Amino acid sequence: MTTSDMIRELCEKKNISLAELARRIGQSPQNLNKKLKRGTVSFEEMMEILETLDVRYEQVFGLPSGEKIKINNE
């Protein structure tokens, strides 16, 4: 699943259109749609989207030893 797919799914689950999400983060719906199609949503834009949708972001790196390095936006 791509980041763009995840953003679309989040919008569905949060019952918000992509056009409304775009407006809430200060972009035109056309611009956001282009970024989603190209897969060029920046990390900063992703953080804005997650804050707008009130969801948490997590990223985990797993080392061969089993140790995990976790990054989140909490």
Side-chain angles (χ1 to χ4, degrees), residues 39-50:
T40 58
V41 176
S42 72
F43 183 79
E44 291 78 17
E45 289 168 325
M46 182 68 149
M47 293 299 104
E48 279 186 77
I49 289 168
L50 298 175

Side-chain angles (χ1 to χ4, degrees), residues 13-47:
K13 291 185 181 288
K14 291 291 197 163
N15 199 27
I16 182 175
S17 69
L18 285 172
E20 179 59 24
L21 174 62
R23 284 189 277 284
R24 289 185 187 184
I25 64 169
Q27 294 189 26
S28 70
Q30 296 83 359
N31 188 47
L32 181 59
N33 278 320
K34 286 179 185 178
K35 287 181 179 188
L36 292 174
K37 285 180 183 174
R38 291 188 309 246
T40 58
V41 176
S42 72
F43 183 79
E44 291 78 17
E45 289 168 325
M46 182 68 149
M47 293 299 104

Side-chain angles (χ1 to χ4, degrees), residues 52-66:
T52 299
L53 296 177
D54 193 29
V55 295
R56 188 176 71 236
Y57 169 80
E58 295 181 351
Q59 182 177 359
V60 177
F61 296 103
L63 300 170
S65 65

